[in-house]
Structure formats: structure tokens, C-alpha cells
Amino acid sequence: MTHLFTMFFNKSVLSLVLIMTVSVLAVDARPATFLQGFRITWSDSHIRQLDGGRAIQLILDQNSGCGFASKSQYLFGRVSMKIKLIPGDSAGTVTAFYMNSDTDQVRDELDFEFLGNRSGQPYSVQTNVYAHGKGDREQRVNLWFDPAADYHTYSILWNHHHVVFSVDDVPIRVYKNNEAKGVPFPKFQPMGVYSTLWEADDWATRGGLEKIDWRKAPFYAYYKDFDIEGCPAPGPASCASNPSNWWEGSSYQQLDPVAARRYRWVRMNHMVYDYCTDKSRYPVTPPECLAGI
């Protein structure tokens, strides 16, 4: 989902040194230029590097959308990026940031999908989780700010305990490891980092009622400040199972009280769709929906 990205550890240099000393494990993919860490997967004419490659612009017009992917895959860790979404009338467009195992019937995938809007309507973000090939776990949240006015940080934390989707460090979705209840959890397949900008006016805005207005094209989305901290694959086999990885630490195994309070606030005030409560699709509530946070 192209420019020069600087990937950096948010942890201190000392923490990085300690982690690397203990196990040669969490390698942070820090490209000097975008193309050193990423590859264009779709329509290179629609991806422009800005600021010497430290940011990128994705373009959607009637000819094409575009996309890119990390050159490496990762098994557990955290990935984040700053995105400025399409301003104005963006109905029918989808800007996606996700992780994907790039496998077919048993794929794992963790999705952010930003659904375009008509001017004056809220921007919605849809999250979804695929585990062992099973998806259909959509949740939608109306963002509480204008995501086209400035950059905001979107992140996915993935460890053995849960997956947490966050916006500016506010959790908007938690998918817990409920393997004990027979619910699949992504933990075997490494995943790459992807992003795309594309037209999906058959479903993206108000269920497809609002169509894309090509008179407003081209549409632009902007990205910068990628931060990937995880176990690269291929890489040391011991990395993903090492409890010394910072993202496996006790403070990351569940939401702390402040994060839990923010999460409840989002769900009470900004959630507009939850597969867990959609009785037309799931007459029996899926077991993972009963686990709380």
C-alpha cells in the first residue's frame, strides 16, 4: 500500500543493543531508500517518491490504482506507518495497509482498510483478521478526526497473545489468541507488509450506494515513517519463539488500564459495525467475540 522510508526503533538505542545481543533477533528493516526495503507490486507510474524518498504519494485515476510491499516477511512484532488519506470527496476509494502471508487457501492477514467518503461524512476504517484461511471478521470504526488533514499513525502489534490495531496509539481492535476455544490464531506463517490504493465503489462507501466521482480524480494518499520491528523470515528460527522480544513482554500481553479505557471509548462512541453482533451473518455469536479484551 512509495517514497524513501526511514524505519526506526521507537525503543532506545540501549534497548536495541540489548535485544540484538541477547538473541540476534528482532531485525528492524531500515531502508536508506524506499526501494531498498520495498518493492512496487502494481503500477509504478502511480507511485511517486517525495522528500528525497522519505515519503511517498500513491495515485488513483481512471487508468489504475497502485500498490507496494515489503521485501521481507515477518513473524510477530509491530508495524506502523504514518498516512495522510485522500481529502474531499473520496467516495468509492479504498486505501489499504495490511499484513499478508501471501498464501492461498490458508492465508493469514491483518487488515486496515480506509473507506472513502462523500465530503462532510466521517471517514471509516475497516479492520479484518484472517487466520488459517478464515476471515469474515470485519469491524468498522468512524475516525474521530479528519485523517486527510494531516498524517496519523496506524499500527499493528502482533504477538502470541493478541493482535492490536491502533490509531495514534489508541487501540481500535483487539483480536485475542483463543486457540483454547478452537479459534484459529495467526502464529505459524510470516507475513509481508502491503499497501494499496484502489477503486471499490461496489462496496466501499455506504455499501456501494455512493459511487466514485472520477471528475475529482486523480486521488492522492501519502505515506511516511515506516517502523517495522519483528522477526524477519527467513531468519533465525529461534526469533519468533523468543520471550525476550519486547513485543512479547508482560506489558504487551494485554491492554494496560489507560489503553483499555481508550479502547472502550472507541467501541462505545465510534464503532459502526461489528461482525460479532451481526445476527444475520452469525446467529450464534462467534466464540472469540465472548472473550472481552
Side-chain angles (χ1 to χ4, degrees), residues 1-5 7 34-35 37-44 46-48 55-59 65-71 79-83 95-100 192-197 221-224 226 228:
M1 297 169 161
T2 304
H3 302 129
L4 164 40
F5 288 109
M7 297 186 172
F34 168 73
L35 292 178
F38 299 90
R39 58 187 172 86
I40 296 172
T41 57
W42 174 27
S43 190
D44 57 0
H46 284 59
I47 296 179
R48 296 174 181 167
I56 59 169
Q57 178 192 63
L58 271 60
I59 303 167
C66 56
F68 66 87
S70 60
K71 290 182 177 179
V79 57
S80 69
M81 66 178 71
K82 291 182 180 177
I83 306 174
T95 308
F97 154 44
Y98 59 104
M99 301 186 72
N100 189 301
V193 181
Y194 296 82
S195 188
T196 56
L197 174 58
Y222 298 86
Y223 297 69
K224 67 178 183 177
F226 273 69
I228 300 177

Side-chain angles (χ1 to χ4, degrees), residues 231-259:
C231 292
S238 61
C239 180
S241 60
N242 194 316
S244 297
N245 294 328
W246 70 258
W247 53 85
E248 299 288 357
S250 58
S251 59
Y252 297 95
Q253 294 177 12
Q254 60 184 8
L255 299 185
D256 63 34
V258 172

